Amino acid sequence: MKRLFLALDIPGAVKDALLGFQPGPGAGLRPVSREGLHLTLCFIGVADIEQVHRAIRLLRPREFSLQIRGLGRYGHAKGGVLWAGVEPCKGILALQRRLSVALSQADIPVDTKRFRPHITLARYKAGVSKCRIERFLQQSDRLVLDPVRIRQFLLFSSDTRSEGAVYRIERRYPPIGNGRNRPI
């Protein structure tokens, strides 16, 4: 059993552009590694990879485009995340909803928080300099990337370590195209 989530991978050129907006590491602030940049669709938690695979293996997205625009943060008393915004679109919302339903129908618990598409760029702990967070947010108008074509989703596992999470792609789910796929 591994800690699992479903996500969209981000093309290398987009990752490189996003790295230019990340705050540097420092007291209470840890940027996400280049390899860790992704867009989480469904956080599952500890579960059996094969059970998750059986629940979603026939779901295939139609291709769609993501628009990455702006910066923001989610915070709470213990810290939070700094993120790049992703405009909600019909394709991503339909994919996320169908995956959540398929997992629930297979009795696989999923995170029930409202889905807000974003790409986490850094994590921060309580007490991090408000100035650093404000400097990050002041760049928001500058982040507008070309639309990104999405053609597949992935099943990731994560291993949390003191230096940050290490992600591994467990399965790839390709798009419509081979005649066996059911479109979302």
Side-chain angles (χ1 to χ4, degrees):
M1 303 266 268
K2 294 185 176 185
R3 188 170 182 256
L4 304 173
F5 63 94
L6 294 164
L8 301 177
D9 199 11
I10 306 300
V14 174
K15 288 181 181 185
D16 292 340
L18 291 174
L19 291 174
F21 288 89
Q22 277 186 319
L29 190 100
R30 182 175 28 200
V32 172
S33 69
R34 183 182 192 281
E35 297 76 30
L37 294 174
H38 61 268
L39 191 158
T40 300
L41 295 165
C42 296
F43 179 74
I44 300 166
V46 177
D48 178 68
I49 291 171
E50 292 307 316
Q51 182 185 11
V52 171
H53 174 68
R54 283 190 301 275
I56 63 171
R57 72 183 185 278
L58 296 178
L59 299 179
R60 298 292 184 261
R62 294 187 187 279
E63 289 185 15
F64 60 92
S65 291
L66 290 182
Q67 179 63 61
I68 299 170
R69 180 188 319 260
L71 300 167
R73 73 179 174 137
Y74 297 129
H76 48 75
K78 293 182 180 179
V81 298
L82 303 176
W83 48 260
V86 175
E87 293 182 0
C89 67
K90 194 175 188 179
I92 194 170
L93 296 175
L95 174 58
Q96 193 277 334
R97 187 173 36 256
R98 290 287 304 275
L99 290 170
S100 291
V101 167
L103 292 168
S104 294
Q105 288 175 341
D107 292 324
I108 301 168
V110 293
D111 189 353
T112 58
K113 287 185 221 154
R114 183 175 158 228
F115 178 61
R116 295 181 182 154
H118 67 279
I119 301 164
T120 298
L121 299 179
R123 299 181 190 291
Y124 65 91
K125 295 181 179 178
V128 73
S129 163
K130 288 184 172 67
C131 242
R132 291 196 72 199
I133 292 174
E134 287 306 316
R135 276 197 308 269
F136 169 78
L137 295 172
Q138 287 171 357
Q139 307 176 84
S140 188
D141 291 344
R142 291 187 21 230
L143 179 57
V144 180
L145 301 181
D146 290 336
V148 177
R149 287 304 286 168
I150 299 298
R151 296 182 173 94
Q152 66 179 341
F153 64 95
L154 302 111
L155 175 61
F156 281 90
S157 62
S158 69
D159 181 21
T160 305
R161 300 180 182 171
S162 60
E163 65 275 8
V166 175
Y167 303 108
R168 178 176 175 212
I169 297 172
E170 299 291 343
R171 299 276 196 288
R172 293 178 184 273
Y173 298 91
I176 298 170
N178 66 12
R180 298 180 311 175
N181 302 334
R182 259 188 8 222
I184 292 178

